[in-house]
Amino acid sequence: MMAVETRRHFLKTTGVLSIGFSLLGVSCLQRTEKEGGNTFPFHPVDDSQINAWLQVLSDGRVKILSGKMELGQGIKTAIVQVAAEELNTSMHLIDIHIAETDVTPNEGYTVGSMSIETSAMAVRNAAASAREILVRMAAERFIVPENSLTLKDLIITGDNVRISIGDLLEGKQVQGKVTTPATILAKTERKIVGQPVPRKDIENMVVGKQHFIHDLRFEGMVHARIIRPPSYTAELLSMDNTDYSANGLLKLVWIGNFLGVISEEEYQAIHLARAIGKVANWKVGDALPTGQGMEEHILSLPSEPDPAVEKGLGKNGINGANIIHEASYFKPYLMHAANGPSCSLAIFQNGKLTIWSHSQGIHPLRSAISQLVEIPESDIHIIGVPGSACYGHNGADDVAAEAALLAINYPGRHVRLQWMREEEHGWEPYGTAMRMALKAGVDQKGKIQGWDFNLWSDVHGTRPFGSAENLLPARYLGKGYQRPVNGFKGGAPRNAEPYYEIQNMRMQTHFFKGPLRRSALRALGAYANVFAIESFMDELALKAGIKPMEFRTNHLKDPRAIRCLERLEDKINKIQKGDHEGLGHAFARYKNSSSYCAVAVWVLVDRKSGAIHLKKMWAVVDSGEIINPDGLKNQIEGGMIQSASWALKEEVKFDQKHIISLDWITYPILRYNEIPEIEVELIEQSDQPPLGAGEASQGPATAAIVNAIYDATQVRIRQLPIQRQLLLA
């Protein structure tokens, strides 16, 4: 059972509204007030105030608050480093509490590689502002100059002065607004920031301590499972009248086309769901498109073009070019494929609903669930707990909404709902399929004189955003909710405008409504767009008779981009390739405004089987100021591995009824023994702002792989995943 405290004891002992375990403690799980009670607050946090981000506990330690979710990116470690630096304080004296409604700031979603750029920098300013205020308070109290005092390890000292910040505040909090501090110690002292501090939560995972939401247990907790329809649009016609109470059924929750079972034991819930699912009578609904390739299907769908982005003569700049080349590229539907299926816990008691969720945005999720269950937001409390792997919008919000529905229909006890593997694979929102068509002209000097890029994509984000219709169970409740149509369009053209210097350019996005559920997947449209652009740049370079690396640098003016490519070339220019081996590389600046990333790949292709062996991958990355180089490298390496898996293996497949990629056999991913040696070099730019990096390497890694395959085989890959029969040709 997870330990909890009463709010009365909690307030007596801390004097503040939340508590978090130390970063160096045993778990990422967080304590909060007694769940399901009547006393949890509904006071939106004013994030302009210092005490929204930083609070002093009764023992004089400091607690940092962040609305961002820990997704495995190490944000908790990095944020504590930032705070410790500005407070000139050892990290073990700082706790951190993340993602809890009415306790932490509402920072929306943890998306877009923005956690360091936004949340960590907000904490930096709050901690530095607090340091200045605390020193000023001590100076006024002891009537000494501010510059004679030093704050270190939460104690202020000077000539005949020594006082802890807890004693200085006398049980109160630091009052004042977050301002632009006069001094940022990370820029002047830099003792903690920039150091490779390891994530202590990794140890908890390895030894099996409580960490993930899947580990949560409460006394008296019951278990649930959902009975899924056979298709997206299926309709429940009838159920039999069998009494399943002898099989452990506590309650069958039946609302419209929504079916869920609740039992004492998880094993019972699994078998009940399967048994009842067999006797449920469904009308299957609309058929999914089969019989043609997905790329051809995309082109057959009606599409809505966005206004074109043009520069110079647009696509007319291609006219009269010495070399004119065109090609199209395709990326299929991809899964998040989280290692741990989505999970949530909820309890409804005394009119209050408490939910534990690994959603990437607990505040917008609360708004959406409030609409769905018709309970005021003031009566809903959501506590963020890490899930087992996911970058993007998977089933976390959906399972939380389902757990809420079940808990409301079975009040007074904690209801735990975990999806099965086939549910996670079959019902999550996928990264959409995309098609990219490029045409360009190169002049006699080897410069691109005209560029035309057309992109076909569904929307890339249908997160709840406070809207109930974007939650999976909404469409089955019989309340008129329909399948989400709209979504975040801005994700589709991400990185579709090349970062290269091209005088005449045109780019246009064509939006279609695809057959599968879709939402945000790591890097959104940038993955496919960079794959297409960087493959095309290689093709143009070869047609122009120029080395691909040189061709890229000839079209760059940004010295930081050029430096990344030059350092990458230094790493690979002495590689001695064997038979059937190839080297390829690629470059992108994520979102054209975030981290710079140049990637190289060394491959061996088996000419008999077509099997691709990744021998080594390199990356050179410029993310501006580096907070934690260990965490940054982990992000880049993880992105490269995931990208390789997408490129080589992954594709969502379906029949007329529903998804058929329902396990690790029908949806294979890269295995541990297939992961190559990876070398990442970081270019430190401590005088520059930090840049998000979690999604920087996906596009360049896949492009580098296909370029390396061409170097080894002279076969150009333009459709993903890479098909062995293409290589056998």
Side-chain angles (χ1 to χ4, degrees):
M1 174 181 172
M2 178 183 175
V4 295
E5 294 183 338
T6 65
R7 167 165 286 275
R8 178 172 297 178
H9 177 261
F10 177 63
L11 291 175
K12 281 182 178 179
T13 56
T14 67
V16 293
L17 294 178
S18 63
I19 187 168
F21 287 118
S22 167
L23 176 77
L24 305 182
V26 299
S27 180
C28 274
L29 300 179
Q30 299 178 148
R31 300 183 182 184
T32 185
E33 67 280 340
K34 187 177 177 69
E35 59 282 339
N38 287 311
T39 55
F40 57 69
F42 183 68
H43 306 298
V45 175
D46 182 358
D47 59 13
S48 69
Q49 300 296 314
I50 292 172
N51 58 25
W53 304 93
L54 178 151
Q55 295 179 350
V56 180
L57 303 176
S58 60
D59 61 0
R61 295 164 55 83
V62 165
K63 178 180 59 181
I64 299 300
L65 300 136
S66 170
K68 294 297 184 181
M69 178 61 97
E70 176 61 70
L71 308 175
Q73 79 276 46
I75 189 62
K76 294 180 74 172
T77 304
I79 287 178
V80 171
Q81 282 183 262
V82 166
E85 184 78 70
E86 298 313 313
L87 294 171
N88 195 27
T89 296
S90 298
M91 289 179 65
H92 74 272
L93 296 174
I94 299 178
D95 298 340
I96 184 168
H97 190 96
I98 61 167
E100 182 172 355
T101 55
D102 301 312
V103 174
T104 61
N106 180 358
E107 296 190 75
Y109 286 102
T110 304
V111 295
S113 303
M114 295 292 291
S115 294
I116 292 294
E117 295 182 27
T118 57
S119 191
M121 294 303 98
V123 168
R124 168 177 283 178
N125 287 335
S129 298
R131 182 191 71 237
E132 293 178 351
I133 290 173
L134 289 166
V135 170
R136 187 179 310 126
M137 289 175 62
E140 293 172 353
R141 177 166 177 169
F142 293 99
I143 316 177
V144 297
E146 289 182 38
N147 59 11
S148 70
L149 300 177
T150 300
L151 171 63
K152 181 176 175 58
D153 289 336
L154 307 182
I155 295 174
I156 298 173
T157 58
D159 292 338
N160 301 316
V161 174
R162 181 179 177 85
I163 188 170
S164 70
I165 63 171
D167 290 341
L168 180 66
L169 290 168
E170 297 179 331
K172 299 177 182 178
Q173 294 300 326
V174 180
Q175 300 297 318
K177 288 186 174 293
V178 178
T179 60
T180 302
T183 302
I184 296 294
L185 296 184
K187 302 296 185 182
T188 57
E189 301 293 330
R190 203 164 176 79
K191 299 175 182 177
I192 300 172
V193 164
Q195 298 303 310
V197 178
R199 286 174 49 198
K200 293 297 182 181
D201 55 347
I202 299 295
E203 179 183 338
N204 302 325
M205 301 177 208
V206 172
V207 301
K209 292 182 179 178
Q210 279 194 346
H211 175 81
F212 295 120
I213 191 168
H214 310 77
D215 304 325
L216 272 177
R217 295 295 185 272
F218 292 98
E219 185 177 348
M221 181 177 73
V222 295
H223 295 268
R225 285 295 188 273
I226 302 298
I227 299 161
R228 301 290 172 191
S231 69
Y232 282 134
T233 57
E235 179 183 349
L236 182 61
L237 299 177
S238 63
M239 285 279 296
D240 74 348
N241 295 319
T242 303
D243 182 1
Y244 290 94
S245 57
N247 301 91
L249 180 67
L250 296 176
K251 185 160 188 177
L252 173 67
V253 179
W254 181 1
I255 312 169
N257 296 318
F258 177 82
L259 277 177
V261 296
I262 300 173
S263 64
E264 292 283 357
E265 301 294 335
E266 186 171 21
Y267 190 68
Q268 292 173 329
I270 293 171
H271 281 270
L272 284 165
R274 289 173 178 169
I276 295 173
K278 290 178 181 178
V279 298
N281 182 23
W282 298 89
K283 178 182 176 182
V284 174
D286 301 332
L288 292 173
T290 57
Q292 65 179 150
M294 184 52 61
E295 184 174 7
E296 291 76 17
H297 179 69
I298 284 174
L299 292 176
S300 72
L301 294 173
S303 63
E304 177 186 344
D306 259 12
V309 177
E310 296 195 66
K311 184 169 65 173
L313 298 175
K315 65 179 181 180
N316 292 328
I318 298 172
N319 298 337
N322 187 52
I323 299 170
I324 296 178
H325 180 56
E326 57 186 312
S328 64
Y329 305 84
F330 172 75
K331 168 225 157 203
Y333 283 97
L334 295 174
M335 288 185 189
H336 298 84
N339 290 333
S342 297
C343 181
S344 182
L345 294 90
I347 184 170
F348 185 66
Q349 188 169 310
N350 301 324
K352 305 287 185 179
L353 176 63
T354 304
I355 302 168
W356 289 260
S357 172
H358 55 112
S359 168
Q360 292 183 213
I362 59 169
H363 288 87
L365 174 62
R366 176 170 66 174
S367 298
I369 289 179
S370 174
Q371 292 180 27
L372 184 75
V373 300
E374 299 177 354
I375 292 176
E377 286 189 55
S378 57
D379 290 333
I380 300 175
H381 192 65
I382 302 183
I383 302 160
V385 184
S388 178
C390 179
Y391 286 86
H393 177 206
N394 68 340
D397 298 284
D398 301 319
V399 73
E402 292 169 343
L405 285 165
L406 296 170
I408 289 168
N409 283 275
Y410 198 75
R413 296 180 71 176
H414 292 85
V415 177
R416 180 182 184 273
L417 173 62
Q418 179 173 310
W419 284 10
M420 304 294 285
R421 171 53 55 197
E422 60 267 24
E423 291 178 275
E424 187 71 29
H425 273 33
W427 289 93
E428 66 145 272
Y430 311 111
T432 182
M434 293 173 62
R435 181 182 189 269
M436 295 69 60
L438 292 94
K439 184 177 181 180
V442 179
D443 66 19
Q444 292 181 341
K445 296 181 179 180
K447 284 295 188 74
I448 299 172
Q449 69 177 48
W451 179 279
D452 187 26
F453 186 106
N454 280 278
L455 160 67
W456 285 263
S457 177
D458 205 335
V459 296
H460 279 258
T462 53
R463 296 179 186 272
F465 285 112
S467 174
E469 69 178 4
N470 284 9
L471 296 168
L472 179 62
R475 68 179 72 176
Y476 301 118
L477 298 181
K479 294 184 178 182
Y481 291 114
Q482 301 297 318
R483 172 187 172 191
V485 176
N486 297 319
F488 175 50
K489 287 188 171 184
R494 184 172 292 178
N495 277 96
E497 292 184 54
Y499 197 66
Y500 300 103
E501 297 292 327
I502 300 174
Q503 187 175 357
N504 304 303
M505 184 272 294
R506 179 183 183 273
M507 188 279 291
Q508 188 165 39
T509 307
H510 308 265
F511 285 99
F512 61 80
K513 181 180 175 182
L516 304 186
R517 192 176 183 221
R518 72 283 186 249
S519 195
L521 177 62
R522 194 176 191 180
L524 282 69
Y527 169 68
N529 293 328
V530 172
F531 152 61
I533 290 170
E534 288 300 292
S535 298
F536 196 63
M537 287 292 287
D538 250 45
E539 295 184 40
L540 289 176
L542 292 170
K543 285 189 172 292
I546 302 173
K547 292 181 179 180
M549 189 81 79
E550 181 184 349
F551 188 74
R552 286 176 170 82
T553 55
N554 287 346
H555 288 87
L556 287 167
K557 287 186 177 179
D558 187 337
R560 295 171 71 176
I562 295 171
R563 186 182 302 115
C564 286
L565 282 166
E566 289 176 342
R567 291 201 183 182
L568 183 69
E569 187 171 25
D570 289 341
K571 294 180 178 298
I572 64 174
N573 60 11
K574 293 183 180 179
I575 296 293
Q576 298 295 317
K577 295 181 293 184
D579 293 340
H580 315 312
E581 293 183 355
L583 280 169
H585 60 271
F587 164 80
R589 185 180 185 189
Y590 183 54
K591 295 191 286 190
N592 288 349
S593 61
S594 198
S595 286
Y596 302 78
C597 183
V599 174
V601 178
W602 184 6
V603 303
L604 166 64
V605 180
D606 187 318
R607 301 291 292 198
K608 292 183 178 180
S609 68
I612 300 161
H613 173 61
L614 302 176
K615 297 192 67 173
K616 187 168 181 178
M617 302 178 80
W618 297 262
V620 177
V621 181
D622 179 350
S623 294
E625 180 192 1
I626 298 173
I627 305 301
N628 185 333
D630 181 64
L632 178 54
K633 284 186 177 181
N634 290 342
Q635 288 292 285
I636 297 299
E637 290 175 0
M640 293 164 74
I641 294 167
Q642 185 176 42
S643 179
S645 184
W646 289 346
L648 297 174
K649 295 175 177 284
E650 298 185 38
E651 179 182 13
V652 178
K653 297 181 180 179
F654 55 90
D655 60 18
Q656 287 189 330
K657 284 186 178 180
H658 198 57
I659 311 304
I660 58 174
S661 302
L662 297 177
D663 53 34
W664 299 120
I665 303 300
T666 52
Y667 190 85
I669 62 173
L670 205 67
R671 303 292 181 174
Y672 285 110
N673 62 359
E674 298 174 294
I675 296 172
E677 178 186 354
I678 298 176
E679 179 182 331
V680 177
E681 178 184 342
L682 305 178
I683 299 176
E684 173 67 81
Q685 302 272 15
S686 58
D687 60 328
Q688 297 294 321
L691 302 173
E695 297 164 292
S697 60
Q698 275 74 16
T702 285
I705 289 171
V706 300
N707 291 336
I709 290 171
Y710 181 83
D711 187 46
T713 66
Q714 302 302 294
V715 175
R716 177 59 63 181
I717 304 297
R718 297 194 180 103
Q719 284 194 330
L720 301 177
I722 298 165
Q723 300 296 320
R724 290 184 178 181
Q725 59 265 32
L726 293 177
L727 301 181
L728 289 172

